[in-house]
Amino acid sequence: MSYHTRQRNGFYPLDAVDKLEETTMDKVEAYMTKKIAAGKNNGCTLENAGVRREWGDMTIEQRSDFINATLCLMKAPSKAPKDQFPGARSRYDDFMAYHLTNAGSLHDTIGLFPAHKYFLLAYESALRNECGYKGYHPYMNYDRYTKDPKNSALFNGNATSMGGNGAPDPSYTGLRTSAGLIKTGGGGGCVTDGPFKDYMATVGPGSPVMNNVPKNPLSSGGGYNPRCMRRDINVNAALGATADKSYNLITKSKNINDFYNTLLTPPQNKSDPYNWGIHTSGHYISGGDPGGDPMVSPGDPIFYFHHAMLDRLWWIWQMQDPDTRLNAQVNLGGSGGASRKIDLKWLATDVVPVLEAHDGLGGHGGAFCHVYV
């Protein structure tokens, strides 16, 4: 399905980022015309690119297909090395295990954007190639969850949601950040409704933010440690990632260092009680365990929705000036620079040069070929 076939949920009016994305497509078309003429698109075109949509814009059937593929991955056999990860019992667990032991290269300044782009692609490919999913991975538009996230299509706990809130846990009062306390949303306990109520996280924890998370039997965190998925669906976190903040991130970041710094640690603003930074906000819209643990956060499927949205914001920023921004790398630290390669080991067979993962429309021989609508 071409990106030209837009599929919107009329319940949500277009926000500032949605409108910017629509006007940016003229730049994307001009960029791709030039790229195709130069023979550098590797077979990727706007007509055959995978289309990643917001969860609320997907049909009920599309949501059900995605959920079934996720449940399939949670039952498929693990491919992670058993000597390192005896706790990984499924293909789904493999991604949590990789993130646990490679968090450094995934999160440093060079790797944060491209390594997670490849990580997301590997996960999407597993859903498609190993579990028969026909679509592409959805994203979560944070702004849609700034009013009533618990009753949203993503979190309302019905059969076509990604599960509901955790049960109330009075011992959980919120998450302390450098910008202050993200107060609890009233959850924190086990998820008890929706398609993933019976799912058990297996590896970790790595760096838990919740109380009473059982310790892993192995110091590495790779041992078998079954526990329920806990969540705290939190409007206070979502308010740190409103559309105006995402719009300002894209339009006011004149270089990649500004984009990176604002995303992670925005300038102090005492008049803003929700100044957590978009990256932090996105993670703690659902939080909990394993989702709120930065080492094993892929244990909650919402992790991929969050990182798809981050990838969307990065992509829109790049496409404002693709000739100069496509290969722009954060130079605030991190090793390897342009020579780094991304090796996802048991998750994907290809070792990808880092700059190939900057190119969402033709990178790595056309393996990266997506648009966001």
Side-chain angles (χ1 to χ4, degrees):
M1 181 180 292
S2 164
Y3 84 94
H4 292 288
T5 309
R6 295 190 180 274
Q7 178 180 302
R8 297 286 193 187
N9 183 338
F11 182 79
Y12 298 101
L14 297 183
D15 63 36
V17 177
D18 295 331
K19 292 175 182 177
L20 176 61
E21 181 182 67
E22 290 203 339
T23 60
T24 298
M25 289 311 298
D26 289 338
K27 297 178 180 179
V28 175
E29 289 180 356
Y31 163 72
M32 288 301 291
T33 297
K34 184 168 66 173
K35 192 171 186 177
I36 291 168
K40 296 181 178 180
N41 62 312
N42 294 318
C44 178
T45 69
L46 291 177
E47 285 66 40
N48 65 19
V51 179
R52 291 177 175 165
R53 305 182 186 278
E54 215 285 333
W55 182 254
D57 293 338
M58 295 167 65
T59 66
I60 295 298
E61 182 181 8
Q62 288 169 337
R63 294 178 204 168
S64 294
D65 289 346
F66 179 83
I67 289 166
N68 289 335
T70 306
L71 291 169
C72 162
L73 211 62
M74 289 176 171
K75 296 175 182 177
S78 169
K79 297 180 182 179
K82 294 300 181 187
D83 57 335
Q84 290 181 256
F85 303 103
R89 302 300 170 91
S90 72
R91 188 67 172 134
Y92 183 85
D93 297 343
D94 289 354
F95 289 81
M96 183 165 41
Y98 180 89
H99 199 275
L100 171 66
T101 49
N102 293 273
S105 61
L106 282 165
H107 293 96
D108 73 5
T109 57
I110 300 297
L112 180 63
F113 302 129
H116 277 91
K117 181 188 281 288
Y118 188 23
F119 190 84
L120 174 62
L121 177 64
Y123 182 75
E124 179 183 78
S125 297
L127 291 172
R128 287 170 57 83
N129 299 334
E130 300 174 40
C131 284
Y133 179 54
K134 303 301 183 186
Y136 296 90
H137 203 289
Y139 65 91
M140 59 187 298
N141 181 343
Y142 308 126
D143 197 75
R144 295 187 179 187
Y145 307 96
T146 57
K147 295 180 176 62
D148 189 13
K150 294 172 189 173
N151 290 308
S152 67
L154 188 60
F155 292 121
N156 63 22
N158 71 19
T160 56
S161 73
M162 292 303 292
N165 196 15
D169 179 358
S171 72
Y172 180 66
T173 58
L175 177 75
R176 178 67 60 183
T177 76
S178 60
L181 179 71
I182 303 178
K183 295 179 181 179
T184 177
C190 297
V191 171
T192 58
D193 51 14
F196 306 104
K197 61 183 175 61
D198 298 322
Y199 160 67
M200 303 290 279
T202 57
V203 298
S207 184
V209 299
M210 308 300 290
N211 303 315
N212 305 315
V213 179
K215 292 183 178 180
N216 196 279
L218 298 181
S219 59
S220 66
Y224 186 53
N225 188 26
R227 58 202 187 278
C228 72
M229 181 168 69
R230 297 166 64 180
R231 279 183 181 162
D232 180 47
I233 306 301
N234 197 318
V235 69
N236 300 306
L239 286 166
T242 52
D244 63 313
K245 292 178 178 178
S246 295
Y247 180 84
N248 288 337
L249 170 70
I250 295 167
T251 59
K252 294 185 177 181
S253 297
K254 301 306 180 185
N255 57 64
I256 190 63
N257 288 352
D258 290 347
F259 185 88
Y260 175 89
N261 282 331
T262 303
L263 180 77
L264 270 66
T265 52
Q268 290 187 349
N269 183 356
K270 293 184 179 180
S271 67
D272 181 1
Y274 308 107
N275 195 36
W276 324 121
I278 291 171
H279 179 261
T280 296
S281 298
H283 274 297
Y284 294 98
I285 288 174
S286 54
D289 173 69
D293 182 331
M295 306 296 283
V296 291
S297 44
D300 187 325
I302 293 302
F303 166 91
Y304 299 96
F305 288 69
H306 166 45
H307 273 279
M309 179 61 176
L310 292 181
D311 190 59
R312 177 189 184 223
L313 297 179
W314 181 38
W315 179 68
I316 297 172
W317 179 84
Q318 287 179 308
M319 290 297 107
Q320 301 311 302
D321 183 6
D323 288 341
T324 59
R325 292 184 175 184
L326 191 70
N327 290 331
Q329 289 186 291
V330 182
N331 59 10
L332 302 171
S335 62
S339 66
R340 182 184 291 189
K341 291 180 170 54
I342 307 170
D343 184 356
L344 296 186
K345 300 177 182 177
W346 56 87
L347 300 182
T349 56
D350 287 0
V351 177
V352 174
V354 68
L355 291 181
E356 291 293 322
H358 278 234
D359 184 0
L361 285 167
H364 194 55
F368 295 95
C369 187
H370 296 92
V371 294
Y372 290 91
V373 299

